[in-house]
Amino acid sequence: MFARPIRVKSNTAIKGSDRRKLKADLSTAFPSLSADELSELVPNKEELNVVKIYAYKGDAVTLYVLHKNPLFFELEKRLYPTVYVLWRYPALLPTFMTWPPVLQKMVGGADLMLPGVVVPSSGLPDVKLGDYCSVTLVNNRAPVAVGTAAVSTGEMHSLGMKGRGVCVLHTYMDHLWAFGDKSGPPSLPNAECDGQEEYEEEYEVNEMEMEEEEVVEKFVEEEQCPGETDDRKMPQETMDALLLQCFLHALKSKVKKSELPLLTSTFLRNHMFACCPSGKQIDIKKSSYKKLSKFLQAMQKQHNLVRMKELTKETEGEVAPVQDEGEGKSLYHPPEITTMYSVSSRLEPLFHDVQKRKGTILQPAEVKHLVTEYVKKNELVDENNKNYVTVDPILCDCLLERSEYQEIGSLKWDDLFSRTLGRMQECYQIVYPGQRPIQKKGHIEPIDIAVSSRGSNKKVTLIKNLEVYGLDPAVVATALQHRVQASSVLQPIPGSKDKVLVQIQGNQIHQAGNLLLDHYQIPRKYINGLEKAPKGGKKK
């Protein structure tokens, strides 16, 4: 339920009586917690905040936040632990296991289906319908999801392990997790995952709902336990295997025929990243291939699974313009962005005569022209002062509040136009070079640049929403990396299927801003975070 952004209603410090009640409610809901453990989760003297939020479907949820991390969330008078709590107490809830690729589905809002459950030799946990459940991955017993049992354990067996198993409410990498410090799950290897032979003997793998190619299943089953390798010291052979695993998964379960052909960078960003197991990270530079093009060429030559064609000019039908790979002459042209307004049901009578129905999208100049024509046609210009317009019944209903009905008899022209636009829904039109205009409701998302700490006082710069402006994050990351001589990676954005963020070492806001403003010609008003650049640097 937190796959999409949440909205904060209030954030207050908890009262003493509410603190005692919370501790009592937690003791009742989770009797396995000792008194000391309860005191750690709900300390008497440390600041504990109560944050009331709305999920994207409008559900009212209460969060209990300690040290900036949400520990519990309350939904319909029932308390649930977050992954931050379960990483400290992994045995708090009955646990179901699944494969790493399933995590991405759950992050996107999917429930855990029984065909994806891995059954240990000891059997499934004993649960009843609606009982608390957590979900772990076979290579790590640190929970990555929280929910309730969709059916009892007995029904799971009687259904032949088909259908819904766990109704997932919250996952690692969703927006509730992102409300905290965004730390990752600890490495808690399963005792039964010490070796491949033991690993295969201990678990019975249920048939997946979508059958995988044998080679894909092979790589999933041979997934190493966390702790055996460190991504920062990962040997080339291991990264090569990870690349192949993600490549095969993406071809089988992600790419649709209707999407082909597609740019190689799009294939990496939208499909391979989504298939990367939790706790691991694709970094082509750490593989023996070094470049995505060389890896794909190898797949074409060795397995004949793909065909590659080098683009020499902009091709019709591409999602985004062709971009340069470095600091040379840019082939990128920024899109044209125009603010628009949509006719609301309240304003339909005002535009009735010109047949502009609810949902019709107009430019501000069109709105001004149509309102002016309405005023002239109905002779509403004040004879004594032409700066004012007489408010007739239609203008009254469309533009005035009820409390103003008896007070306002005329409006200045500027007030008339501003009230009209204020009662319309703001939209925007974006036109990429060589493509048809695209119109969308709401405000256009700006490119967001922020700096985040990554332990030991190390900082990284994060850039997101580049795709909105037709920019390929992989190309921008390469150009910025050349400028600042620092390493960069692309990271999936929790809750988003087709967007990634650029992460580069250090506070690079100045350089990122200069690249976007000067090289890519993105207007400053569409870039957030430039004001957070370190002081003393050269200002644009």
Side-chain angles (χ1 to χ4, degrees):
M1 68 182 299
F2 303 107
R4 297 186 186 179
I6 58 180
R7 181 164 59 91
V8 176
K9 179 184 177 183
S10 63
N11 186 344
T12 57
I14 195 170
K15 298 178 182 178
S17 57
D18 291 335
R19 189 187 298 259
R20 291 189 292 273
K21 182 179 183 302
L22 173 61
K23 188 177 291 188
D25 290 343
L26 290 176
S27 179
T28 302
F30 310 106
S32 63
L33 288 173
S34 66
D36 289 341
E37 290 170 338
L38 284 170
S39 295
E40 287 181 8
L41 293 170
V42 189
N44 292 327
K45 296 183 179 180
E46 296 183 51
E47 184 174 339
L48 182 69
N49 283 52
V50 179
V51 182
K52 295 188 176 182
I53 65 169
Y54 290 111
Y56 74 95
K57 287 186 178 180
D59 296 304
V61 182
T62 300
L63 309 182
Y64 294 94
V65 181
L66 179 68
H67 301 151
K68 299 184 179 180
N69 278 341
L71 299 187
F72 297 91
F73 63 98
E74 186 174 357
L75 175 66
E76 296 179 350
K77 298 184 179 181
R78 191 177 185 187
L79 287 164
Y80 298 85
T82 67
V83 291
Y84 292 110
V85 167
L86 293 178
W87 292 340
R88 295 165 64 179
Y89 308 103
L92 183 62
L93 304 180
T95 299
F96 291 86
M97 286 183 291
T98 189
W99 297 108
V102 177
L103 175 59
Q104 289 296 332
K105 299 290 185 183
M106 294 190 294
V107 172
D111 290 330
L112 177 62
M113 307 303 287
L114 290 173
V117 171
V118 177
V119 184
S121 57
S122 57
L124 295 173
D126 185 18
V127 296
K128 298 177 182 178
L129 172 65
D131 280 359
Y132 292 111
C133 295
S134 65
V135 180
T136 65
L137 305 180
V138 292
N139 54 7
N140 192 350
R141 62 187 180 88
V144 294
V146 181
T148 58
V151 292
S152 67
T153 304
E155 288 176 298
M156 292 179 188
H157 291 299
S158 64
L159 291 171
M161 295 302 288
K162 300 290 184 181
R164 196 180 312 276
V166 177
C167 298
V168 176
L169 296 174
H170 156 55
T171 68
Y172 162 54
M173 293 197 300
D174 68 6
H175 285 274
L176 177 56
W177 165 83
F179 192 83
D181 62 15
K182 301 181 182 179
S183 56
S187 293
L188 304 175
N190 286 304
E192 297 165 298
C193 187
D194 290 334
Q196 184 62 30
E197 294 180 2
E198 193 176 346
Y199 172 79
E200 291 178 347
E201 292 173 359
E202 292 293 339
Y203 293 103
E204 171 192 348
V205 184
N206 289 290
E207 184 177 342
M208 300 293 286
E209 283 189 320
M210 180 183 290
E211 292 184 359
E212 299 281 345
E213 297 281 4
E214 287 184 7
V215 67
V216 174
E217 292 177 351
K218 175 177 180 291
F219 275 97
V220 172
E221 291 169 7
E222 292 180 354
E223 183 80 43
Q224 289 183 327
C225 294
E228 292 181 358
T229 61
D230 187 323
D231 283 349
R232 292 170 294 181
K233 302 174 184 178
M234 183 178 287
Q236 287 185 346
E237 295 81 3
T238 308
M239 183 58 72
D240 288 353
L242 180 62
L243 279 173
L244 180 58
Q245 174 190 342
C246 297
F247 170 77
L248 293 170
H249 269 296
L251 282 186
K252 179 62 182 176
S253 61
K254 292 289 182 182
V255 180
K256 299 177 183 177
K257 289 184 178 180
S258 59
E259 295 178 314
L260 299 173
L262 77 167
L263 294 174
T264 56
S265 57
T266 303
F267 175 68
L268 174 68
R269 181 176 72 243
N270 292 356
H271 303 296
M272 286 185 64
F273 279 156
C275 295
C276 189
S278 174
K280 295 191 178 295
Q281 200 173 87
I282 292 177
D283 189 342
I284 294 176
K285 291 183 179 179
K286 293 180 181 177
S287 72
S288 62
Y289 304 99
K290 303 303 181 185
K291 292 184 179 180
L292 176 62
S293 58
K294 289 186 177 181
F295 169 72
L296 294 175
Q297 286 167 359
M299 295 300 99
Q300 176 177 310
K301 183 177 180 181
Q302 297 172 15
H303 304 287
N304 197 29
L305 293 175
V306 292
R307 290 182 186 175
M308 290 223 307
K309 180 180 179 182
E310 186 175 353
L311 296 180
T312 55
K313 61 180 181 179
E314 189 170 325
T315 305
E316 184 177 356
E318 289 183 358
V319 175
V322 177
Q323 299 172 46
D324 63 316
E325 290 289 341
E327 292 292 326
K329 183 178 179 181
S330 176
L331 300 177
Y332 169 83
H333 298 284
E336 273 185 38
I337 304 167
T338 308
T339 300
M340 311 281 281
Y341 292 88
S342 172
V343 176
S344 62
S345 57
R346 181 173 179 176
L347 291 187
E348 268 192 304
L350 180 58
F351 298 108
H352 180 269
D353 291 346
V354 290
Q355 298 182 346
K356 302 297 182 185
R357 309 301 183 197
K358 178 184 176 182
T360 302
I361 296 177
L362 305 170
Q363 293 191 9
E366 291 181 272
V367 176
K368 186 174 182 179
H369 171 73
L370 293 175
V371 171
T372 302
E373 290 300 308
Y374 175 86
V375 170
K376 291 181 178 179
K377 179 181 177 181
N378 292 278
E379 300 179 350
L380 299 178
V381 178
D382 193 313
E383 294 181 356
N384 299 320
N385 189 342
K386 297 187 182 298
N387 292 325
Y388 284 83
V389 173
T390 301
V391 176
D392 69 352
I394 289 180
L395 290 179
C396 179
D397 290 341
C398 292
L399 304 181
L400 300 186
E401 302 294 339
R402 290 186 178 276
S403 59
E404 298 174 325
Y405 284 0
Q406 305 300 322
E407 299 175 2
I408 297 179
S410 61
L411 294 170
K412 284 187 176 182
W413 281 101
D414 288 345
D415 193 13
L416 178 68
F417 295 138
S418 63
R419 282 176 179 254
T420 303
L421 293 176
R423 281 158 177 75
M424 300 178 76
Q425 182 173 12
E426 189 170 327
C427 311
Y428 66 91
Q429 175 178 281
I430 187 165
V431 183
Y432 299 104
Q435 298 187 28
R436 294 182 178 180
I438 300 172
Q439 294 178 339
K440 295 185 177 182
K441 294 181 179 179
H443 299 273
I444 188 169
E445 291 183 285
I447 295 174
D448 186 73
I449 307 176
V451 173
S452 178
S453 297
R454 287 291 188 269
S456 301
N457 206 27
K458 292 182 179 179
K459 295 183 177 180
V460 294
T461 300
L462 307 174
I463 310 170
K464 64 181 182 180
N465 296 332
L466 294 166
E467 299 92 340
V468 176
Y469 298 84
L471 286 166
D472 187 329
V475 174
V476 174
T478 300
L480 189 56
Q481 186 174 344
H482 289 165
R483 283 196 174 200
V484 302
Q485 297 298 303
S487 63
S488 66
V489 294
L490 300 182
Q491 299 272 23
I493 297 177
S496 178
K497 296 180 180 179
D498 56 356
K499 289 183 181 180
V500 298
L501 59 80
V502 173
Q503 174 180 306
I504 189 162
Q505 288 184 347
N507 186 334
Q508 310 295 352
I509 291 182
H510 268 311
Q511 294 289 355
N514 290 340
L515 180 68
L516 295 170
L517 292 167
D518 300 335
H519 189 63
Y520 291 116
Q521 300 295 306
I522 301 295
R524 182 180 289 269
K525 65 180 179 179
Y526 296 125
I527 305 175
N528 274 357
L530 295 178
E531 71 282 355
K532 298 176 185 176
K535 296 179 180 180
K538 182 179 178 181
K539 294 185 179 180
K540 167 70 183 167

